[in-house]
Amino acid sequence: MTNVRLRNLREEDYPFLRSVVNDWWGGRQIADLMPRFFFQHFQTTGLTAVEEDGTHRIVGFLVGFVSPTHTEQAYIHLVGIDPAYRGRGLARNLYERFFEIVRKQGCRYVRGITSPVNIGSIQFHGRMGFEIEVGDATTSDGTPIHSDYSGEGQARVCFVKDLNR
Ligand SMILES: CC(C)(COP(=O)(O)OP(=O)(O)OC[C@H]1O[C@@H](n2cnc3c(N)ncnc32)[C@H](O)[C@@H]1OP(=O)(O)O)[C@@H](O)C(=O)NCCC(=O)NCCS
């Protein structure tokens, strides 16, 4: 494996990432959750992982920001890693760099959500030190969920991490 470097998200990353995210998410419709403005306005907190082999191919990314409303909170909206690059700590590196950036901006908490079917994401967030917030229901395996969080029938698992712990 070659080395991978992290840099800030750029608008020019958008067309490539939009074209691959549905595949990276195993066929789920993710591209519509990823408008161009994230890549225009969240560059200072967003991150891109690129190959150091001369191709500068994008192999991972993170879209996140500091809440303009709750300035001690940051939010991670999306993280995705090229399937060929999984399991080597890349998403962990992206999260840890993001934690560093937002801590410097005065944040104490980082939040995120995922779909209850995304077991990989739930386990990954657990490994990254996130707690699952108590909701109004649980899945059959006991995971707390917030029913109708993203619209009728659209339950979500809500995560929070305290950066001081
Ligand atoms: C989830 C995802 C981002 C993980 O990326 P990755 O680079 O393979 O993760 P890492 O190698 O950095 O793993 C970090 C930790 O999480 C754990 N982990 C990662 N993916 C996991 C999974 N699918 N199931 C269980 N644990 C997992 C790793 O074992 C590791 O634990 P450790 O560091 O304590 O040993 C990646 O699988 C992905 O892009 N999935 C599709 C997109 C998605 O669902 N994104 C999340 C919702 S926005």
Side-chain angles (χ1 to χ4, degrees), residues 25 79-81 86-92 118 120 123-124 127:
W25 262 254
V79 61
I81 304 294
R86 289 184 188 163
R88 53 184 275 193
L90 255 189
R92 175 178 282 282
N118 197 339
Q123 293 185 339
F124 164 71
R127 300 299 302 164

Side-chain angles (χ1 to χ4, degrees), residues 20-30 83 86:
V20 297
V21 284
N22 291 349
D23 287 341
W24 287 12
W25 262 254
R28 289 180 57 211
Q29 178 52 248
I30 297 297
R86 289 184 188 163

